[in-house]
Amino acid sequence: MNLIKPLNLLVLFLLPLTLISQEDEKFCGTDEYYQDQLDKNPELQKLEQASNDFAEDYQPPMTKNGQKYIIPVVFHVMHTYGPENVDKEKILANFQTLNEDYQKQNSDTQFVRNQFKSLIADHNIEFRLARLDPQGNCTDGIKRHYSENTNSANDNVKREVQWDPNRYLNVWIVGTINRGGRTNIGGYANYPWDKPYKDNDGIVIIARSVDGGDRTLTHEVGHYLGLYHPFQGGCKQWNINSNDEVDDTPMAKNRDEIISSCDGRNTCDLDFPQGQDKPDMLDNFMDYTPCGRMFTKGQKTRSLSYLDPNNANNRAQMVSQSNLAYTGVLDTIQNKKPLAYFDTEEKEICSGDSTQFEQFTCQGIPDSFKWYFQGGEPNVSTKANPQVLYKDTGSYKVTLVVANENGKDSITLKNHVNVIQGKPVSSNPFQANLDSGNLKAKGWRFEQTIPGDTGWQLSSKASSTGTQSLYLNNYNLDRENLSYSVITPKLNLYEPQRIKLTFNYAYASLSNSSTDKMTIEVSNDCGATWKSVANMFNLILKTTDNPVSEDFVPTPNQWEQQVVNFNTVDSGQIFLRFNFITGKGNNIYMDNIRFGYPVGMAERDDQQGQLRLYPNPVQGKLNLSISNVSTGNAQLTVRNMVGQELSRQNVQLNTSTENNFKFNVENLNIQDAGVYFLMLKTEDSRIVKKFNYVK
Ligand SMILES: [Zn+2]
């Protein structure tokens, strides 16, 4: 199986074999997959035998000069927005390799060993990306689906989406394949006689294999067209057709290893016909080598037998003229009315920015375009792919009308472009108590991994000030590594050294293995890139002493305050993003988000004189006297003027006595003389006292 990019070949040959990491070894999963199906349904064996009988005597019909078999293909990119969400460019490059390999246009046929050169076949098969989907809408043949099965994929992804397998070759691109615990599989395919399992028909391939000259797809399409591995069945008698049912591929010993180079190995003595002895054809796409560069004429004949309607197990409907029309891949598009379709890569832009539209019309070639851009400049365009400026915030519709002499068609997409605030909406200091109003109308944005999912929302379940807070229902999620973010309106960062972000929050883990975290990030390019300025990992994030096993609603003393510095950020206009990454924990709440010059914490809640500090001002040791509090664990925290935590320690309190502690202020890592705050947090109260530190 030639699973390694030609580009890497040279490098591979220079490396000792032991340096090829296990990760680079990708095996074909088709044999095992087929065996599983045979175990479940022994009837398959009969279908296989009948199909082999047909293929054995097959004579391909003469095709008119240059006329090819055309196979419509759809790629379903199954992803969770990770690297498995492969770029269109990579898919197209790999698709080109596939086409070259099946038309003997691959330039590396020159490296095929001389004794096999005369056997190289041009399949005369062309693969085309589907241009019409099963609903009759234009498509580019590459569909993207959010799928959590992508990193442990098998036939589970086929349950999520499949286009009629009689009409389209379905290829599912996934992160990793996991079949029965085996994870080093590069891809697997269904044989054409797999009819009892038609609902599974297609090819599953890992995203790492979908790149430029990688031949995994070439190999799996071979199986899809009925080809076996050349080593199928191992060595046989010379007068028995070799077990891959193809005469011109020499027999090879059955094996399950990747051969690292095209060596001269010869694992079977007597080959077909008449006992000639030939070396293994490691040059074949269907072997497990990095040097597959050819199909043989015998393989071509066998493949084409499955495109013949007389074969009981055929894929003939797929290559029929009527299906090529159905899937939109016919050549004769000049004679048809165009179907309008368009897209733009950047649907969410800053006000004052432009975005590029791409028409994506199918069926007929249009000779005129007319675009209408609500809220855009220009608001009308006759260019094929215009660039449009949006000055004002809002959601705007776009209409495209295309026409040729056979007719016209139009498409309107509402709320297609979302223009967000690109100018500062508030001057420093900025404060959001989150108690009233529509945050989105004020320029706040909410983004999450799964578009449309319920993310952060205003809630009156709990608050640190006022009546509402921002709340993320993480308790019911039970999912890992999903991102839920809150993005502020654009802010002015004039003095990064002095300005702070301060906010109150409450969070509990669900168990000791919860891994939720939140990062605070800054963007000074309208959200194009983000830079982390604070990481709040689970241990820092939690504001309760213990995990909370039910739906977490904080009590007043389960709120904490966080202060974020911007020392490493350039001044200018910025967005702030609170990016919460789920890790099977409990709910998080945020409130009273402040941005600007810091204001000190206020003393609070000590009407009964429960906490006394002396001496104050203090130079060395600070004495604490705590009384009239509940017995149990309590927490003492020292913070600076902007609320930054400098020290935290747990203490045991006894209700019946006066509790005395000494705090050595000089151990607190306090740099400057000034005002500091000491907070006592008990089960049911929170007391804050100010003290003055003098050096
Ligand atoms: Zn294979």
Side-chain angles (χ1 to χ4, degrees):
M1 190 176 189
N2 185 348
L3 298 160
I4 297 154
K5 285 180 263 178
L7 203 65
N8 293 339
L9 271 182
L10 186 64
V11 181
L12 266 177
F13 285 138
L14 295 174
L15 290 171
L17 188 59
T18 48
L19 285 187
I20 300 173
S21 70
Q22 202 62 37
E23 192 176 311
D24 287 334
E25 294 207 330
K26 299 175 287 177
F27 290 91
C28 167
T30 299
D31 282 347
E32 282 179 358
Y33 177 68
Y34 183 59
Q35 190 58 50
D36 287 352
Q37 293 184 328
L38 270 180
D39 293 346
K40 276 185 269 173
N41 187 350
E43 285 294 300
L44 261 183
Q45 188 107 48
K46 287 183 191 159
L47 295 173
E48 181 179 9
Q49 190 54 51
S51 118
N52 284 344
D53 291 347
F54 182 87
E56 195 178 346
D57 302 323
Y58 188 66
Q59 297 287 329
M62 299 294 285
T63 53
K64 283 182 206 151
N65 200 21
Q67 194 180 347
K68 294 187 169 74
Y69 294 93
I70 297 172
I71 295 181
V73 180
V74 56
F75 287 95
H76 307 290
V77 184
M78 314 302 284
H79 69 95
T80 55
Y81 292 94
E84 72 286 351
N85 191 14
V86 188
D87 291 354
K88 185 173 181 174
E89 288 69 27
K90 280 188 178 172
I91 295 173
L92 293 181
N94 200 226
F95 199 63
Q96 184 177 340
T97 300
L98 175 74
N99 268 312
E100 287 171 359
D101 291 347
Y102 278 85
Q103 294 167 47
K104 198 186 159 185
Q105 288 175 357
N106 49 312
S107 58
D108 54 1
T109 52
Q110 61 177 307
F111 302 119
V112 169
R113 282 175 287 174
N114 281 334
Q115 71 224 79
F116 298 133
K117 273 206 165 101
S118 65
L119 298 173
I120 304 176
D122 168 5
H123 266 76
N124 207 26
I125 293 176
E126 184 183 344
F127 301 89
R128 291 189 183 172
L129 287 169
R131 295 302 310 275
L132 285 172
D133 70 13
Q135 285 73 45
N137 298 316
C138 294
T139 176
D140 59 355
I142 300 171
K143 305 299 287 183
R144 295 175 191 275
H145 307 267
Y146 181 85
S147 167
E148 297 197 350
N149 286 324
T150 191
N151 285 316
S152 192
N154 44 57
D155 284 354
N156 52 9
V157 291
K158 303 174 179 178
R159 302 288 84 80
E160 296 186 48
V161 58
Q162 183 190 37
W163 290 7
D164 183 349
N166 292 313
R167 294 184 173 278
Y168 302 89
L169 161 52
N170 287 265
V171 180
W172 291 267
I173 299 176
V174 302
T176 53
I177 292 170
N178 185 343
R179 290 206 67 257
R182 195 174 160 189
T183 56
N184 58 349
I185 298 171
Y188 69 96
N190 294 72
Y191 288 117
W193 55 87
D194 245 3
K195 280 185 156 175
Y197 299 101
K198 202 69 190 172
D199 290 350
N200 293 331
D201 195 27
I203 293 169
V204 180
I205 187 171
I206 61 171
R208 196 154 52 85
S209 298
V210 181
D211 194 3
D214 193 294
R215 259 68 180 261
T216 305
L217 186 57
T218 299
H219 177 103
E220 296 305 332
V221 169
H223 289 313
Y224 178 83
L225 294 174
L227 299 184
Y228 297 110
H229 297 131
F231 49 81
Q232 171 94 6
C235 303
K236 295 275 179 178
Q237 300 284 324
W238 63 267
N239 54 353
I240 298 174
N241 196 341
S242 85
N243 238 11
D244 72 346
E245 301 287 333
V246 174
D247 293 349
D248 57 5
T249 52
M251 284 187 275
K253 205 170 166 187
N254 211 345
R255 55 185 166 76
D256 189 10
E257 57 169 338
I258 290 175
I259 309 294
S260 62
S261 69
C262 279
D263 56 23
R265 77 181 55 208
N266 185 352
T267 58
C268 297
D269 292 340
L270 302 171
D271 289 294
F272 189 87
Q274 281 141 21
Q276 293 177 38
D277 189 14
K278 299 172 191 164
D280 297 3
M281 191 188 276
L282 301 180
D283 320 53
N284 198 284
F285 286 127
M286 298 311 291
D287 207 322
Y288 276 6
T289 75
C291 44
R293 290 152 186 158
M294 66 175 288
F295 290 111
T296 66
K297 290 174 176 168
Q299 286 176 316
K300 170 189 175 177
T301 300
R302 183 173 166 84
S303 298
L304 295 190
S305 79
Y306 293 98
L307 301 179
D308 190 311
N310 296 312
N311 189 335
N313 306 293
N314 65 67
R315 297 191 184 282
Q317 185 189 349
M318 191 171 291
V319 295
S320 67
Q321 284 298 105
S322 64
N323 191 53
L324 303 187
Y326 180 93
T327 56
V329 300
L330 274 179
D331 279 324
T332 55
I333 53 175
Q334 290 87 343
N335 304 327
K336 285 205 161 187
K337 182 185 102 168
L339 281 184
Y341 184 70
F342 69 86
D343 206 355
T344 175
E345 229 163 77
E346 294 214 46
K347 297 184 184 70
E348 187 150 276
I349 59 171
C350 281
S351 55
D353 285 353
S354 295
T355 187
Q356 178 83 46
F357 286 85
E358 188 185 359
Q359 68 87 15
F360 207 76
T361 297
C362 72
Q363 285 291 78
I365 296 174
D367 44 40
S368 75
F369 300 92
K370 195 154 193 188
W371 297 82
Y372 299 89
F373 300 106
Q374 182 193 28
E377 273 187 32
N379 58 11
V380 177
S381 172
T382 55
K383 288 182 181 167
N385 299 306
Q387 196 174 48
V388 180
L389 170 73
Y390 287 90
K391 282 185 174 168
D392 300 316
T393 59
S395 285
Y396 299 108
K397 73 174 174 186
V398 177
T399 299
L400 171 62
V401 184
V402 294
N404 66 15
E405 58 185 14
N406 298 300
K408 69 174 183 178
D409 186 41
S410 71
I411 182 172
T412 297
L413 297 180
K414 287 180 178 166
N415 302 320
H416 186 69
V417 178
N418 188 24
V419 183
I420 55 165
Q421 191 59 252
K423 282 175 259 168
V425 291
S426 61
S427 52
N428 293 320
F430 163 87
Q431 178 151 12
N433 61 23
L434 306 171
D435 283 327
S436 62
N438 180 337
L439 289 180
K440 284 182 182 164
K442 291 177 183 171
W444 291 72
R445 285 185 298 144
F446 301 87
E447 289 178 352
Q448 47 265 340
T449 309
I450 308 172
D453 197 357
T454 305
W456 288 91
Q457 52 189 310
L458 278 181
S459 164
S460 50
K461 282 174 78 123
S463 62
S464 74
T465 56
T467 55
Q468 289 192 116
S469 65
L470 270 173
Y471 155 70
L472 178 69
N473 184 346
N474 187 36
Y475 172 72
N476 286 332
L477 269 178
D478 195 37
R479 297 242 277 268
E480 288 179 86
N481 288 322
L482 293 185
S483 155
Y484 291 90
S485 56
V486 179
I487 300 171
T488 65
K490 213 161 199 178
L491 304 166
N492 282 321
L493 183 64
Y494 288 124
E495 295 179 88
Q497 309 303 321
R498 291 188 59 202
I499 285 178
K500 314 279 181 206
L501 166 72
T502 312
F503 64 98
N504 298 350
Y505 70 100
Y507 161 82
S509 51
L510 195 60
S511 71
N512 286 328
S513 58
S514 299
T515 57
D516 308 86
K517 62 185 178 187
M518 186 158 75
T519 55
I520 318 292
E521 298 160 325
V522 168
S523 173
N524 52 19
D525 54 8
C526 199
T529 58
W530 295 92
K531 175 182 184 174
S532 170
V533 286
N535 285 303
M536 301 170 73
F537 295 104
N538 192 267
L539 279 176
I540 301 171
L541 197 59
K542 55 189 185 183
T543 61
T544 65
D545 294 324
N546 298 306
V548 175
S549 60
E550 71 270 342
D551 200 356
F552 173 58
V553 180
T555 60
N557 63 356
Q558 284 173 325
W559 284 87
E560 300 227 4
Q561 182 171 265
Q562 180 72 24
V563 176
V564 176
N565 297 306
F566 298 96
N567 300 335
T568 60
V569 180
D570 291 338
S571 61
Q573 296 183 341
I574 60 162
F575 287 100
L576 288 175
R577 177 163 81 174
F578 300 84
N579 190 12
F580 185 82
I581 311 287
T582 62
K584 299 197 175 194
N586 214 319
N587 301 327
I588 182 164
Y589 300 77
M590 289 198 293
D591 201 2
N592 202 19
I593 299 170
R594 288 148 282 164
F595 176 80
Y597 300 112
V599 286
M601 292 171 73
E603 293 197 61
R604 78 180 241 179
D605 293 343
D606 192 22
Q607 284 124 3
Q608 297 160 37
Q610 293 157 297
L611 172 64
R612 290 194 301 127
L613 309 181
Y614 59 93
N616 190 4
V618 60
Q619 198 161 15
K621 284 195 177 65
L622 183 65
N623 296 294
L624 315 185
S625 167
I626 304 166
S627 54
N628 297 322
V629 289
S630 54
T631 296
N633 288 321
Q635 216 167 47
L636 283 169
T637 324
V638 176
R639 292 173 189 264
N640 64 15
M641 274 289 281
V642 296
Q644 203 168 11
E645 186 173 304
L646 305 171
S647 148
R648 175 186 287 218
Q649 75 177 74
N650 292 317
V651 291
Q652 191 69 32
L653 297 181
N654 190 331
T655 189
S656 57
T657 60
E658 187 174 293
N659 301 275
N660 291 302
F661 299 96
K662 280 191 198 308
F663 236 85
N664 192 340
V665 181
E666 260 141 26
N667 289 344
L668 286 179
N669 216 4
I670 292 178
Q671 307 291 327
D672 303 315
V675 175
Y676 293 87
F677 295 87
L678 189 137
M679 181 169 80
L680 173 70
K681 201 164 97 171
T682 68
E683 297 273 279
D684 50 19
S685 68
R686 191 160 76 152
I687 302 164
V688 180
K689 280 279 166 103
K690 193 157 64 174
F691 67 89
N692 225 319
Y693 173 58
V694 289
K695 283 207 148 181

